Amino acid sequence: MEKIVQQFRDIHPLMRKNEVWRNVDFTSLLTDDLVLSQGERQTADYHCQIPDLEAIRFVVENGYYHQQSAQLPNGVIVSALRKAGDADAYFSRCAPKPNPYLQCNADNYSDGLYLSIPANTHIEKPIQLQSVINAGHGLFLQVRNLVVVGPHSHVTIIHCDDSYDQAPSFSNNVTEIYLHEGASVEFYKMQNINNASGLLNHTYVAMEHDARFRSVAITLNGGHIRNHTEIRMLGEHCDVQAHGLYLNDQEQRVDNYVFVEHAFPNCVSRELFKGILDDTAQGSFNGHVLVSEGAIKTEAYQSNKNILLTDKAFINTKPFLEIYNDDVKCSHGSTIGQLDEQALFYIRSRGISERTAKTLLLYAFCDEVLQQIMLQPLREKLVDLVKKRLHGELTPCAECSLHCSSPCNGPEADFHIDPSKL
């Protein structure tokens, strides 16, 4: 364990020379009391907390995959990644330029999920992968997941990162998704870990001709979370939609890096990331769209919008386009601001309290990303979680706009929101 932690610590000085990783520092989270997971199990089953969601569930608990009973179409393979014989063939295709953090995972990962879907297969129910930390003591985890989607097949994946106690942990996890010709994937990422924990989350996606990939990442809690996403379109007529929402307070930090490569003509990518930061929370968005020479008729749109609720909250945003031909439609932009005082005054003039008025405006800001979730039961659950997060039910009470639940002074806000009427 000491050797692996020291190897991870030694990476940091090297990565400071890389612009993408310059401000990422996990060394404070790599404490000496972290231990490697031995695959210990705390419970026989983790129940889904999403009402009306009929999902096929699999669990990676404390770094190890545990088989769940499930009825899947013929030809679909689900297993522990360590038992998958052809996994290595896809690793270099998803991430052709590995970084030292990724290499550390490749050399030392404990286990993970392997999902292989044959051609012309539509999995009706979403697949839910629950990555759970529940050991009662500090853990250092490295998990690797691989999803291979055959030609003209479709799957919806919900990937949840959860911690079930307040013990510190650090996870260096990798998820790789390979889409063959005409394949389609909806990928939803939900993150809600404790403030003593860190997560370095790599997602690598490679897409062949006419593939479709939609992702939405929702970050609700975590001491330090880094979402590093790389998407490569390796054929014509690919379509990518990558969206994210992050809500942070106290001393939390979240970093989002999204790299999208347009290597072939007639491909489309759209990115929308929004964040709300309170207290002394910090965040960053680094978006990089590469349009290679010859990738004509490319459409690429990139947007990052942020609200800072205090003078001490901080966000560093850097949308970036790198284009090597003229026949394209591309745009990028970012905004950083506070709540609109005129809108706040207008709502309060209708007899609504200041606390509820702020929550209404903040939710309306979040709703544009939440509406990108096509799976209705999941969207409804996340809408509920975001509402609770905005008035403090998911964290201890403090004097800030993201809290204000009991036992704070005054009644708890309770409202039904129709953003179209705001």
Side-chain angles (χ1 to χ4, degrees):
M1 173 60 191
E2 294 179 358
K3 180 180 179 181
I4 297 176
V5 171
Q6 189 58 47
Q7 176 186 356
F8 209 82
R9 286 171 176 161
D10 292 342
I11 292 174
H12 175 64
L14 301 175
M15 298 301 282
R16 288 184 63 87
K17 301 176 183 179
N18 187 316
E19 182 64 28
V20 173
W21 297 90
R22 183 182 302 276
N23 298 317
V24 180
D25 186 358
F26 297 110
T27 53
S28 62
L29 296 169
L30 298 171
T31 58
D32 294 333
D33 57 349
L34 297 181
V35 298
L36 284 176
S37 171
Q38 301 302 314
E40 59 268 39
R41 297 207 66 183
Q42 298 296 327
T43 182
D45 187 25
Y46 288 93
H47 297 284
C48 180
Q49 300 298 318
I50 304 175
D52 302 321
L53 177 66
E54 295 185 13
I56 304 167
R57 289 190 295 275
F58 302 96
V59 176
V60 174
E61 182 185 21
N62 298 329
Y64 287 83
Y65 169 78
H66 298 291
Q67 179 67 48
Q68 306 290 301
S69 59
Q71 292 184 347
L72 292 166
N74 292 334
V76 176
I77 299 173
V78 181
S79 73
L81 184 61
R82 285 291 185 186
K83 298 180 180 179
D86 61 344
D88 291 342
Y90 289 95
F91 288 159
S92 61
R93 298 164 76 179
C94 292
K97 297 180 180 179
N99 62 66
Y101 293 119
L102 176 61
Q103 191 61 52
C104 184
N105 175 281
D107 294 339
N108 303 290
Y109 73 90
S110 55
D111 204 353
L113 172 74
Y114 174 66
L115 172 63
S116 177
I117 302 171
N120 303 306
T121 302
H122 186 105
I123 300 181
E124 298 291 340
K125 294 181 179 180
I127 289 178
Q128 184 178 22
L129 173 60
Q130 294 176 281
S131 295
V132 178
I133 302 173
N134 187 17
H137 56 80
L139 287 180
F140 182 87
L141 304 174
Q142 297 198 95
V143 176
R144 196 180 193 105
N145 305 305
L146 174 62
V147 178
V148 180
V149 185
H152 309 289
S153 295
H154 171 80
V155 65
T156 297
I157 299 173
I158 305 169
H159 189 187
C160 307
D161 287 307
D162 291 310
S163 58
Y164 279 73
D165 54 47
Q166 296 302 312
S169 66
F170 185 83
S171 302
N172 176 34
N173 297 341
V174 176
T175 298
E176 294 174 284
I177 304 174
Y178 194 92
L179 291 81
H180 285 270
E181 179 180 353
S184 174
V185 171
E186 292 181 30
F187 184 69
Y188 300 110
K189 185 74 171 174
M190 300 163 58
Q191 298 169 324
N192 191 22
I193 61 176
N194 66 55
N195 287 354
S197 296
L199 170 63
L200 173 52
N201 177 62
H202 303 80
T203 303
Y204 293 91
V205 181
M207 309 167 60
E208 293 185 3
H209 174 78
D210 202 31
R212 303 286 183 270
F213 181 75
R214 172 189 289 269
S215 70
V216 182
I218 308 292
T219 303
L220 295 174
N221 276 304
H224 186 174
I225 293 179
R226 160 82 175 194
N227 292 313
H228 183 99
T229 304
E230 297 188 18
I231 304 172
R232 292 176 170 82
M233 290 176 271
L234 308 178
E236 292 192 49
H237 302 288
C238 290
D239 186 284
V240 170
Q241 297 198 40
H243 309 294
L245 175 66
Y246 43 96
L247 309 176
N248 296 88
D249 59 6
Q250 302 179 54
E251 297 180 352
Q252 297 174 348
R253 179 182 178 96
V254 59
D255 301 306
N256 285 293
Y257 171 80
V258 184
F259 171 80
V260 178
E261 180 181 5
H262 289 258
F264 289 82
N266 301 299
C267 294
V268 178
S269 67
R270 293 179 174 85
E271 300 172 42
L272 174 63
F273 279 74
K274 287 190 170 186
I276 301 174
L277 290 88
D278 205 344
D279 294 336
T280 58
Q282 299 184 42
S284 70
F285 173 81
N286 189 339
H288 181 186
V289 175
L290 171 62
V291 183
S292 301
E293 185 176 356
I296 61 173
K297 307 297 182 182
T298 287
E299 294 186 32
Y301 308 99
Q302 188 182 77
S303 178
N304 177 230
K305 301 178 181 180
N306 301 277
I307 292 179
L308 304 184
L309 296 175
T310 70
D311 293 336
K312 295 182 180 180
F314 175 81
I315 185 73
N316 182 11
T317 177
K318 182 185 176 183
F320 175 52
L321 301 176
E322 184 178 359
I323 304 172
Y324 291 98
N325 64 79
D326 296 328
D327 190 5
V328 299
K329 294 180 180 179
C330 299
S331 67
H332 68 297
S334 65
T335 61
I336 303 172
Q338 294 78 38
L339 285 176
D340 189 324
E341 292 296 332
Q342 290 186 347
L344 189 62
F345 175 80
Y346 176 83
I347 295 176
R348 294 196 63 195
S349 70
R350 280 6 186 211
I352 298 175
S353 69
E354 181 179 3
R355 176 156 60 94
T356 302
K358 286 183 176 180
T359 310
L360 281 165
L361 289 175
L362 291 174
Y363 177 79
F365 176 80
C366 299
D367 186 68
E368 188 177 3
V369 174
L370 294 172
Q371 292 305 313
Q372 302 300 323
I373 301 172
M374 299 293 102
L375 194 61
Q376 183 175 350
L378 178 63
R379 182 173 66 246
E380 292 175 353
K381 178 62 176 180
L382 285 173
V383 165
D384 181 62
L385 286 176
V386 167
K387 289 178 184 178
K388 290 180 177 179
R389 183 71 174 98
L390 291 174
H391 52 75
E393 293 184 18
L394 300 185
T395 56
C397 180
E399 295 298 327
C400 66
S401 297
L402 291 188
H403 292 288
C404 298
S405 64
S406 58
C408 291
N409 296 327
E412 182 180 317
D414 185 14
F415 49 82
H416 174 73
I417 304 173
D418 182 356
S420 65
K421 297 181 179 179
L422 293 176

